[in-house]
Amino acid sequence: MTSLINNALTMRKMTSSPRKVHGSTSNRSILFLIDQLTEMGGAERMMFELANRLKKMGYTVSVITFRENPSPEAYTYDTEVIVLPIRSCLSWQAIGVARKIRQIIRERNIAIAQTYFESSDLFGAVVCRLSGVRKICSSRRDMGLLRTRKHMLLYRLCTPLYSRVFAVSKRVAGWHQQQDAIVPQKMEVIYNGVYLATYNHHIDRDRARKAFGIPLGVPVVTTIANINPWKGLDVFLETAAIVHIQHPEIAFVIAGDKTDMEHYQVLQSRVQELGLSSNVFFLGRVSDVPSLLMCSDIFTLLSRTEGFPNVVIEAMAARVPVIATDVGGTSEVVTDGVTGYLVPCEDHLTAAATVLSLLSFPPRGDRLTSTARALVEKQFSIETMVQRHVEVYDALLSA
């Protein structure tokens, strides 16, 4: 307890009488704070896509991350990444990191800070406010997936710090409004977007499959997800086992980083037990997602929880039939039987029946994909996502 009090007093002394950073539409300097870039998921990629496009529109963007050793992919985007490692927000190390953030804010005249995930939302937002940033946005990407009881309390205490809270779906927005006591006027639903141009060309499907090591001339059912328990890859394998009975030649493809090696070993063992060693392909992280999707016949995402799954709108843009669990904001883009199929969470029997239905009558999938692509073009482009952010930023800066 004494240590915590001393840290708090040191922070207070460090940030006493901070220089105010005044926002205006002429000062378009934004600081993104994100917990980690070691694993590049949908949130991380969307942040970089937003940053790159903001710079083309006259904004200055900086990124701070709190975990060492970002993925090499993080450096492929044209945005500076500043690594300030921190193991605990209640430590002397955190005081040093706070000083560095304060220095960056002052040197770069930061007008808006935007935070991603727990440490950034809480520690980062407090440091930014004490350093003079008056416009702070928080980006909420899930429904409290990694929150602890401590987080629940701290989020409520920090809610007054945020000028706006961005949510990636209506369901996510509703959850955070209730849990964190956020007034509706501060909440903005901004869906993720997909860069449609990458899905507007035709590919040689056989050549693409050879490049990925996928068999030719067989149906391919693909899922794209980092390997961890909440992505439902075990459900995907149980689904595969049922479909395999009627289609012994079929290929099931799993693309994603092995973020949980213990769970990966469990999945590998289950593949052996189900007799699917010749049918299941673990590709690891795939850089050319558009080609993988466009050489697939069906896309599935059988997650146990989601905020708003980017890969679903990517599959829709690629004109691949989508089967997904009805979790989080998925139903806000997948209308069952219209733009894809929704199945109950944990229900591999219904998922398998839906895959078999699409395999037995491909024209059914063709009708879905046409409608799905039109929806993505209308509501879920990367340009729409960026424009919605810009509208909020400009309103905050001119207030």
Side-chain angles (χ1 to χ4, degrees):
M1 180 62 72
T2 301
S3 175
L4 294 182
I5 293 173
N6 288 339
N7 285 348
L9 290 173
T10 303
M11 175 70 82
R12 182 178 178 182
K13 181 179 179 182
M14 180 195 80
T15 58
S16 60
S17 302
R19 179 174 68 97
K20 291 185 178 180
V21 180
H22 297 284
S24 69
T25 52
S26 60
N27 174 19
R28 293 185 164 194
S29 183
I30 297 181
L31 175 64
F32 287 163
L33 300 101
I34 189 165
D35 286 14
Q36 64 84 31
L37 294 171
T38 57
E39 300 169 6
M40 293 293 291
E44 292 77 16
R45 293 187 176 100
M46 283 293 101
M47 182 195 71
F48 278 117
E49 292 289 354
L50 175 60
N52 286 353
R53 283 163 175 76
L54 286 173
K55 289 190 296 182
K56 295 177 182 178
M57 302 174 73
Y59 288 83
T60 301
V61 183
S62 305
V63 173
I64 291 176
T65 184
F66 294 131
R67 191 180 297 175
E68 293 177 305
N69 301 318
S71 165
E73 182 184 345
Y75 295 103
T76 63
Y77 297 89
D78 187 25
T79 300
E80 179 188 14
V81 175
I82 304 168
V83 182
L84 299 178
I86 182 172
R87 291 184 176 84
S88 170
C89 296
L90 299 174
S91 65
W92 289 109
Q93 181 192 37
I95 299 297
V97 168
R99 290 181 183 276
K100 292 177 182 178
I101 294 174
R102 179 171 177 261
Q103 181 180 1
I104 290 168
I105 287 171
R106 293 193 166 191
E107 289 178 349
R108 305 189 182 197
N109 195 24
I110 299 298
I112 294 177
Q114 182 159 323
T115 62
Y116 294 78
F117 305 119
E118 288 79 9
S119 294
S120 299
D121 285 338
L122 303 173
F123 171 77
V126 170
V127 172
C128 287
R129 175 56 62 89
L130 291 173
S131 300
V133 181
R134 293 292 176 259
K135 310 296 183 182
I136 300 174
C137 301
S138 174
S139 182
R140 307 294 169 86
R141 320 296 297 187
D142 56 48
M143 298 170 74
L145 177 63
L146 298 178
R147 284 194 184 188
T148 64
R149 186 174 298 177
K150 173 187 68 177
H151 289 133
M152 303 299 275
L153 173 62
L154 291 176
Y155 266 104
R156 282 191 169 243
L157 292 174
C158 288
T159 287
L161 296 177
Y162 309 121
S163 301
R164 291 291 187 276
V165 176
F166 300 133
V168 291
S169 69
K170 293 177 183 176
R171 280 193 182 179
V172 169
W175 190 90
H176 285 276
Q177 280 184 253
Q178 181 179 17
Q179 294 294 324
D180 302 339
I182 302 169
V183 296
Q185 296 90 331
K186 284 190 175 183
M187 183 67 71
E188 301 278 351
V189 175
I190 302 181
Y191 292 110
N192 295 333
V194 60
Y195 186 46
L196 291 166
T198 61
Y199 295 92
N200 287 340
H201 63 284
H202 295 285
I203 66 166
D204 184 323
R205 284 167 59 91
D206 286 349
R207 180 178 296 177
R209 288 191 181 188
K210 286 181 181 178
F212 291 117
I214 302 172
L216 306 183
V218 303
V220 173
V221 180
T222 295
T223 190
I224 300 176
N226 287 341
I227 294 177
N228 53 58
W230 57 86
K231 285 299 184 180
L233 296 174
D234 52 333
V235 183
F236 179 74
L237 294 181
E238 301 302 325
T239 300
I242 295 174
V243 176
H244 176 252
I245 295 172
Q246 293 190 30
H247 296 271
E249 79 289 357
I250 195 168
F252 296 91
V253 174
I254 300 173
D257 281 327
K258 301 180 181 71
T259 54
D260 185 328
M261 286 303 298
E262 182 178 349
H263 187 61
Y264 173 65
Q265 295 300 328
V266 170
L267 295 176
Q268 289 277 31
S269 296
R270 189 59 180 151
V271 168
Q272 298 290 332
E273 293 167 359
L274 293 170
L276 296 174
S277 300
S278 300
N279 301 87
V280 175
F281 300 83
F282 288 90
L283 302 187
R285 184 175 68 87
V286 170
S287 58
D288 189 359
V289 170
S291 291
L292 176 59
L293 288 170
M294 287 189 282
C295 74
S296 301
D297 297 293
I298 296 172
F299 175 80
T300 69
L301 187 69
L302 304 180
S303 305
R304 294 182 166 92
T305 181
E306 288 287 348
F308 183 86
N310 297 9
V311 70
V312 165
I313 55 175
E314 291 173 340
M316 292 166 68
R319 297 181 173 86
V320 182
V322 170
I323 301 169
T325 42
D326 187 4
V327 295
T330 305
S331 62
E332 293 168 40
V333 62
V334 178
T335 300
D336 190 44
V338 179
T339 58
Y341 289 106
L342 293 173
V343 298
C345 188
E346 306 283 358
D347 189 349
H348 65 278
L349 295 176
T350 300
T354 309
V355 171
L356 289 169
S357 175
L358 285 171
L359 291 175
S360 66
F361 189 59
R364 183 181 292 113
D366 294 339
R367 289 196 296 269
L368 290 175
T369 58
S370 178
T371 306
R373 169 70 190 211
L375 177 66
V376 173
E377 291 176 354
K378 182 179 179 180
Q379 296 186 23
F380 300 103
S381 69
I382 198 78
E383 291 79 11
T384 298
M385 182 199 75
V386 172
Q387 186 57 41
R388 288 284 289 111
H389 281 87
V390 168
E391 289 169 1
V392 175
Y393 295 154
D394 286 351
L396 291 175
L397 292 173
S398 62

